[in-house]
mmCIF file of all heavy atoms in Angstrom:
data_model
loop_
_atom_site.group_PDB
_atom_site.id
_atom_site.type_symbol
_atom_site.label_atom_id
_atom_site.label_comp_id
_atom_site.label_asym_id
_atom_site.label_seq_id
_atom_site.Cartn_x
_atom_site.Cartn_y
_atom_site.Cartn_z
ATOM 1 N N LEU A 1 0.814 -1.218 0.000
ATOM 2 C CA LEU A 1 0.000 0.000 0.000
ATOM 3 C C LEU A 1 0.850 1.272 0.000
ATOM 4 O O LEU A 1 0.330 2.364 -0.256
ATOM 5 C CB LEU A 1 -0.942 0.002 1.210
ATOM 6 C CG LEU A 1 -2.043 -1.059 1.188
ATOM 7 C CD1 LEU A 1 -2.706 -1.155 2.545
ATOM 8 C CD2 LEU A 1 -3.071 -0.760 0.109
ATOM 9 N N LYS A 2 2.113 1.141 0.324
ATOM 10 C CA LYS A 2 3.053 2.272 0.300
ATOM 11 C C LYS A 2 2.544 3.469 1.100
ATOM 12 O O LYS A 2 2.584 4.615 0.651
ATOM 13 C CB LYS A 2 3.346 2.676 -1.142
ATOM 14 C CG LYS A 2 4.030 1.581 -1.944
ATOM 15 C CD LYS A 2 4.303 1.997 -3.379
ATOM 16 C CE LYS A 2 4.985 0.863 -4.139
ATOM 17 N NZ LYS A 2 5.234 1.208 -5.558
ATOM 18 N N GLY A 3 2.004 3.147 2.286
ATOM 19 C CA GLY A 3 1.559 4.200 3.182
ATOM 20 C C GLY A 3 0.154 4.705 2.938
ATOM 21 O O GLY A 3 -0.333 5.572 3.683
ATOM 22 N N LYS A 4 -0.509 4.187 1.908
ATOM 23 C CA LYS A 4 -1.883 4.618 1.628
ATOM 24 C C LYS A 4 -2.836 3.975 2.639
ATOM 25 O O LYS A 4 -2.445 3.168 3.481
ATOM 26 C CB LYS A 4 -2.273 4.229 0.204
ATOM 27 C CG LYS A 4 -1.334 4.737 -0.884
ATOM 28 C CD LYS A 4 -1.216 6.248 -0.856
ATOM 29 C CE LYS A 4 -0.430 6.784 -2.048
ATOM 30 N NZ LYS A 4 1.008 6.457 -1.986
ATOM 31 N N THR A 5 -4.110 4.313 2.552
ATOM 32 C CA THR A 5 -5.108 3.846 3.522
ATOM 33 C C THR A 5 -6.094 2.888 2.870
ATOM 34 O O THR A 5 -6.621 3.171 1.793
ATOM 35 C CB THR A 5 -5.863 5.044 4.130
ATOM 36 O OG1 THR A 5 -4.928 5.877 4.818
ATOM 37 C CG2 THR A 5 -6.936 4.587 5.106
ATOM 38 N N LEU A 6 -6.333 1.765 3.519
ATOM 39 C CA LEU A 6 -7.288 0.754 3.050
ATOM 40 C C LEU A 6 -8.481 0.726 4.001
ATOM 41 O O LEU A 6 -8.322 0.607 5.211
ATOM 42 C CB LEU A 6 -6.622 -0.618 2.997
ATOM 43 C CG LEU A 6 -7.467 -1.768 2.440
ATOM 44 C CD1 LEU A 6 -7.657 -1.606 0.932
ATOM 45 C CD2 LEU A 6 -6.818 -3.119 2.747
ATOM 46 N N LEU A 7 -9.676 0.829 3.427
ATOM 47 C CA LEU A 7 -10.933 0.830 4.195
ATOM 48 C C LEU A 7 -11.925 -0.126 3.541
ATOM 49 O O LEU A 7 -11.748 -0.505 2.383
ATOM 50 C CB LEU A 7 -11.595 2.210 4.161
ATOM 51 C CG LEU A 7 -10.934 3.472 4.662
ATOM 52 C CD1 LEU A 7 -11.806 4.642 4.247
ATOM 53 C CD2 LEU A 7 -10.798 3.410 6.147
ATOM 54 N N PRO A 8 -13.022 -0.438 4.243
ATOM 55 C CA PRO A 8 -14.152 -1.055 3.536
ATOM 56 C C PRO A 8 -14.670 -0.042 2.513
ATOM 57 O O PRO A 8 -14.640 1.171 2.760
ATOM 58 C CB PRO A 8 -15.197 -1.294 4.632
ATOM 59 C CG PRO A 8 -14.503 -1.053 5.927
ATOM 60 C CD PRO A 8 -13.332 -0.179 5.653
ATOM 61 N N SER A 9 -15.120 -0.512 1.382
ATOM 62 C CA SER A 9 -15.649 0.414 0.373
ATOM 63 C C SER A 9 -16.919 1.080 0.888
ATOM 64 O O SER A 9 -17.553 0.631 1.845
ATOM 65 C CB SER A 9 -15.933 -0.326 -0.927
ATOM 66 O OG SER A 9 -16.867 -1.366 -0.704
ATOM 67 N N PHE A 10 -17.303 2.157 0.229
ATOM 68 C CA PHE A 10 -18.454 2.946 0.667
ATOM 69 C C PHE A 10 -19.759 2.317 0.170
ATOM 70 O O PHE A 10 -19.813 1.685 -0.894
ATOM 71 C CB PHE A 10 -18.335 4.381 0.170
ATOM 72 C CG PHE A 10 -17.100 5.084 0.661
ATOM 73 C CD1 PHE A 10 -16.279 5.787 -0.222
ATOM 74 C CD2 PHE A 10 -16.744 5.037 2.003
ATOM 75 C CE1 PHE A 10 -15.143 6.430 0.233
ATOM 76 C CE2 PHE A 10 -15.606 5.673 2.463
ATOM 77 C CZ PHE A 10 -14.803 6.378 1.571
ATOM 78 N N ILE A 11 -20.803 2.520 0.956
ATOM 79 C CA ILE A 11 -22.129 1.979 0.664
ATOM 80 C C ILE A 11 -23.108 3.144 0.530
ATOM 81 O O ILE A 11 -23.238 3.968 1.431
ATOM 82 C CB ILE A 11 -22.586 1.030 1.794
ATOM 83 C CG1 ILE A 11 -21.615 -0.162 1.897
ATOM 84 C CG2 ILE A 11 -24.010 0.547 1.555
ATOM 85 C CD1 ILE A 11 -21.859 -1.037 3.116
ATOM 86 N N ASP A 12 -23.763 3.202 -0.592
ATOM 87 C CA ASP A 12 -24.717 4.280 -0.885
ATOM 88 C C ASP A 12 -26.040 3.961 -0.197
ATOM 89 O O ASP A 12 -26.729 3.009 -0.570
ATOM 90 C CB ASP A 12 -24.892 4.380 -2.399
ATOM 91 C CG ASP A 12 -25.892 5.433 -2.820
ATOM 92 O OD1 ASP A 12 -26.080 6.397 -2.065
ATOM 93 O OD2 ASP A 12 -26.483 5.285 -3.913
ATOM 94 N N ALA A 13 -26.384 4.767 0.786
ATOM 95 C CA ALA A 13 -27.594 4.505 1.570
ATOM 96 C C ALA A 13 -28.824 5.230 1.037
ATOM 97 O O ALA A 13 -29.953 4.892 1.412
ATOM 98 C CB ALA A 13 -27.369 4.908 3.029
ATOM 99 N N TRP A 14 -28.588 6.231 0.181
ATOM 100 C CA TRP A 14 -29.734 7.003 -0.321
ATOM 101 C C TRP A 14 -29.271 7.782 -1.548
ATOM 102 O O TRP A 14 -28.439 8.672 -1.449
ATOM 103 C CB TRP A 14 -30.234 7.963 0.755
ATOM 104 C CG TRP A 14 -31.622 8.482 0.520
ATOM 105 C CD1 TRP A 14 -31.976 9.662 -0.062
ATOM 106 C CD2 TRP A 14 -32.847 7.839 0.869
ATOM 107 N NE1 TRP A 14 -33.338 9.791 -0.108
ATOM 108 C CE2 TRP A 14 -33.904 8.681 0.466
ATOM 109 C CE3 TRP A 14 -33.149 6.627 1.471
ATOM 110 C CZ2 TRP A 14 -35.239 8.345 0.661
ATOM 111 C CZ3 TRP A 14 -34.486 6.294 1.664
ATOM 112 C CH2 TRP A 14 -35.515 7.152 1.267
ATOM 113 N N GLY A 15 -29.802 7.433 -2.715
ATOM 114 C CA GLY A 15 -29.368 8.118 -3.927
ATOM 115 C C GLY A 15 -30.191 7.716 -5.132
ATOM 116 O O GLY A 15 -31.158 6.964 -5.033
ATOM 117 N N HIS A 16 -29.766 8.227 -6.280
ATOM 118 C CA HIS A 16 -30.516 8.032 -7.526
ATOM 119 C C HIS A 16 -29.610 7.415 -8.586
ATOM 120 O O HIS A 16 -29.181 8.113 -9.516
ATOM 121 C CB HIS A 16 -31.030 9.368 -8.052
ATOM 122 C CG HIS A 16 -32.086 10.025 -7.233
ATOM 123 N ND1 HIS A 16 -33.417 9.693 -7.316
ATOM 124 C CD2 HIS A 16 -32.015 11.032 -6.333
ATOM 125 C CE1 HIS A 16 -34.121 10.472 -6.496
ATOM 126 N NE2 HIS A 16 -33.299 11.283 -5.893
ATOM 127 N N PHE A 17 -29.315 6.139 -8.485
ATOM 128 C CA PHE A 17 -28.454 5.515 -9.489
ATOM 129 C C PHE A 17 -29.007 5.712 -10.899
ATOM 130 O O PHE A 17 -28.270 6.061 -11.831
ATOM 131 C CB PHE A 17 -28.297 4.019 -9.195
ATOM 132 C CG PHE A 17 -27.508 3.283 -10.235
ATOM 133 C CD1 PHE A 17 -26.120 3.271 -10.194
ATOM 134 C CD2 PHE A 17 -28.149 2.599 -11.270
ATOM 135 C CE1 PHE A 17 -25.382 2.599 -11.161
ATOM 136 C CE2 PHE A 17 -27.422 1.926 -12.237
ATOM 137 C CZ PHE A 17 -26.030 1.930 -12.185
ATOM 138 N N THR A 18 -30.309 5.495 -11.085
ATOM 139 C CA THR A 18 -30.877 5.597 -12.436
ATOM 140 C C THR A 18 -30.855 7.025 -12.952
ATOM 141 O O THR A 18 -30.710 7.256 -14.153
ATOM 142 C CB THR A 18 -32.320 5.048 -12.473
ATOM 143 O OG1 THR A 18 -33.122 5.734 -11.504
ATOM 144 C CG2 THR A 18 -32.334 3.559 -12.166
ATOM 145 N N LEU A 19 -30.990 7.997 -12.055
ATOM 146 C CA LEU A 19 -30.927 9.403 -12.469
ATOM 147 C C LEU A 19 -29.499 9.802 -12.822
ATOM 148 O O LEU A 19 -29.261 10.533 -13.790
ATOM 149 C CB LEU A 19 -31.479 10.307 -11.366
ATOM 150 C CG LEU A 19 -31.578 11.799 -11.676
ATOM 151 C CD1 LEU A 19 -32.361 12.042 -12.957
ATOM 152 C CD2 LEU A 19 -32.236 12.542 -10.515
ATOM 153 N N ILE A 20 -28.535 9.317 -12.035
ATOM 154 C CA ILE A 20 -27.130 9.548 -12.365
ATOM 155 C C ILE A 20 -26.836 8.972 -13.749
ATOM 156 O O ILE A 20 -26.150 9.588 -14.574
ATOM 157 C CB ILE A 20 -26.213 8.899 -11.317
ATOM 158 C CG1 ILE A 20 -26.287 9.661 -10.003
ATOM 159 C CG2 ILE A 20 -24.767 8.848 -11.794
ATOM 160 C CD1 ILE A 20 -25.727 11.047 -10.063
ATOM 161 N N ALA A 21 -27.349 7.774 -14.002
ATOM 162 C CA ALA A 21 -27.157 7.140 -15.303
ATOM 163 C C ALA A 21 -27.722 8.017 -16.412
ATOM 164 O O ALA A 21 -27.056 8.279 -17.430
ATOM 165 C CB ALA A 21 -27.818 5.768 -15.312
ATOM 166 N N GLN A 22 -28.936 8.477 -16.221
ATOM 167 C CA GLN A 22 -29.579 9.339 -17.220
ATOM 168 C C GLN A 22 -28.775 10.614 -17.453
ATOM 169 O O GLN A 22 -28.578 11.054 -18.590
ATOM 170 C CB GLN A 22 -30.993 9.671 -16.730
ATOM 171 C CG GLN A 22 -31.759 10.657 -17.577
ATOM 172 C CD GLN A 22 -33.117 10.931 -16.976
ATOM 173 O OE1 GLN A 22 -34.047 10.171 -17.200
ATOM 174 N NE2 GLN A 22 -33.244 12.002 -16.212
ATOM 175 N N ASN A 23 -28.283 11.205 -16.365
ATOM 176 C CA ASN A 23 -27.571 12.474 -16.470
ATOM 177 C C ASN A 23 -26.241 12.370 -17.211
ATOM 178 O O ASN A 23 -25.676 13.382 -17.617
ATOM 179 C CB ASN A 23 -27.323 13.060 -15.079
ATOM 180 C CG ASN A 23 -28.552 13.718 -14.489
ATOM 181 O OD1 ASN A 23 -29.564 13.868 -15.167
ATOM 182 N ND2 ASN A 23 -28.479 14.103 -13.233
ATOM 183 N N THR A 24 -25.749 11.151 -17.377
ATOM 184 C CA THR A 24 -24.479 11.009 -18.113
ATOM 185 C C THR A 24 -24.650 11.349 -19.597
ATOM 186 O O THR A 24 -23.659 11.484 -20.309
ATOM 187 C CB THR A 24 -23.897 9.588 -17.978
ATOM 188 O OG1 THR A 24 -24.805 8.632 -18.543
ATOM 189 C CG2 THR A 24 -23.608 9.250 -16.524
ATOM 190 N N LEU A 25 -25.893 11.506 -20.039
ATOM 191 C CA LEU A 25 -26.148 11.925 -21.418
ATOM 192 C C LEU A 25 -26.205 13.443 -21.539
ATOM 193 O O LEU A 25 -26.421 13.970 -22.634
ATOM 194 C CB LEU A 25 -27.462 11.315 -21.921
ATOM 195 C CG LEU A 25 -27.529 9.786 -21.935
ATOM 196 C CD1 LEU A 25 -28.905 9.325 -22.379
ATOM 197 C CD2 LEU A 25 -26.450 9.208 -22.842
ATOM 198 N N SER A 26 -26.022 14.144 -20.428
ATOM 199 C CA SER A 26 -26.080 15.610 -20.429
ATOM 200 C C SER A 26 -24.708 16.193 -20.066
ATOM 201 O O SER A 26 -23.768 15.455 -19.783
ATOM 202 C CB SER A 26 -27.132 16.087 -19.414
ATOM 203 O OG SER A 26 -26.723 15.775 -18.093
ATOM 204 N N VAL A 27 -24.618 17.511 -20.076
ATOM 205 C CA VAL A 27 -23.386 18.193 -19.666
ATOM 206 C C VAL A 27 -23.426 18.374 -18.151
ATOM 207 O O VAL A 27 -24.362 18.990 -17.621
ATOM 208 C CB VAL A 27 -23.245 19.563 -20.356
ATOM 209 C CG1 VAL A 27 -21.971 20.268 -19.889
ATOM 210 C CG2 VAL A 27 -23.239 19.409 -21.862
ATOM 211 N N ASN A 28 -22.447 17.842 -17.463
ATOM 212 C CA ASN A 28 -22.381 17.959 -16.005
ATOM 213 C C ASN A 28 -21.889 19.363 -15.641
ATOM 214 O O ASN A 28 -20.730 19.702 -15.871
ATOM 215 C CB ASN A 28 -21.444 16.902 -15.438
ATOM 216 C CG ASN A 28 -21.408 16.892 -13.918
ATOM 217 O OD1 ASN A 28 -21.866 17.821 -13.263
ATOM 218 N ND2 ASN A 28 -20.845 15.852 -13.348
ATOM 219 N N LEU A 29 -22.771 20.149 -15.040
ATOM 220 C CA LEU A 29 -22.464 21.535 -14.670
ATOM 221 C C LEU A 29 -22.273 21.684 -13.162
ATOM 222 O O LEU A 29 -22.276 22.793 -12.645
ATOM 223 C CB LEU A 29 -23.601 22.455 -15.142
ATOM 224 C CG LEU A 29 -23.908 22.415 -16.645
ATOM 225 C CD1 LEU A 29 -25.216 23.141 -16.944
ATOM 226 C CD2 LEU A 29 -22.766 23.027 -17.447
ATOM 227 N N GLY A 30 -22.109 20.575 -12.458
ATOM 228 C CA GLY A 30 -22.038 20.602 -11.001
ATOM 229 C C GLY A 30 -20.732 21.153 -10.461
ATOM 230 O O GLY A 30 -19.722 21.240 -11.168
ATOM 231 N N TYR A 31 -20.758 21.492 -9.175
ATOM 232 C CA TYR A 31 -19.560 21.982 -8.501
ATOM 233 C C TYR A 31 -18.465 20.926 -8.464
ATOM 234 O O TYR A 31 -17.288 21.229 -8.274
ATOM 235 C CB TYR A 31 -19.898 22.450 -7.078
ATOM 236 C CG TYR A 31 -20.295 21.347 -6.127
ATOM 237 C CD1 TYR A 31 -19.338 20.596 -5.442
ATOM 238 C CD2 TYR A 31 -21.633 21.049 -5.894
ATOM 239 C CE1 TYR A 31 -19.700 19.584 -4.566
ATOM 240 C CE2 TYR A 31 -22.004 20.029 -5.030
ATOM 241 C CZ TYR A 31 -21.035 19.310 -4.367
ATOM 242 O OH TYR A 31 -21.390 18.303 -3.506
ATOM 243 N N PHE A 32 -18.837 19.674 -8.653
ATOM 244 C CA PHE A 32 -17.902 18.550 -8.595
ATOM 245 C C PHE A 32 -17.468 18.105 -9.990
ATOM 246 O O PHE A 32 -16.755 17.119 -10.130
ATOM 247 C CB PHE A 32 -18.555 17.367 -7.869
ATOM 248 C CG PHE A 32 -19.936 17.049 -8.379
ATOM 249 C CD1 PHE A 32 -20.110 16.224 -9.474
ATOM 250 C CD2 PHE A 32 -21.052 17.603 -7.773
ATOM 251 C CE1 PHE A 32 -21.372 15.949 -9.960
ATOM 252 C CE2 PHE A 32 -22.333 17.327 -8.254
ATOM 253 C CZ PHE A 32 -22.486 16.501 -9.349
ATOM 254 N N SER A 33 -17.900 18.808 -11.035
ATOM 255 C CA SER A 33 -17.517 18.430 -12.396
ATOM 256 C C SER A 33 -16.062 18.804 -12.661
ATOM 257 O O SER A 33 -15.427 19.506 -11.863
ATOM 258 C CB SER A 33 -18.431 19.113 -13.419
ATOM 259 O OG SER A 33 -18.291 20.525 -13.353
#
């Protein structure tokens, strides 16, 4: 790991997978783009 951190992966407890999928056909204008 060369000093990196290993954790259990994250679990999505509340979200819109299908909406995220749909939005990939659009231009992402978010603060995280």
Side-chain angles (χ1 to χ4, degrees):
L1 292 168
K2 297 180 180 178
K4 305 302 188 290
T5 298
L6 184 71
L7 301 171
S9 59
F10 300 132
I11 298 171
D12 178 27
W14 198 264
H16 292 278
F17 176 84
T18 56
L19 184 54
I20 289 293
Q22 175 182 277
N23 282 352
T24 62
L25 300 177
S26 67
V27 179
N28 184 346
L29 303 169
Y31 68 84
F32 49 86
S33 63

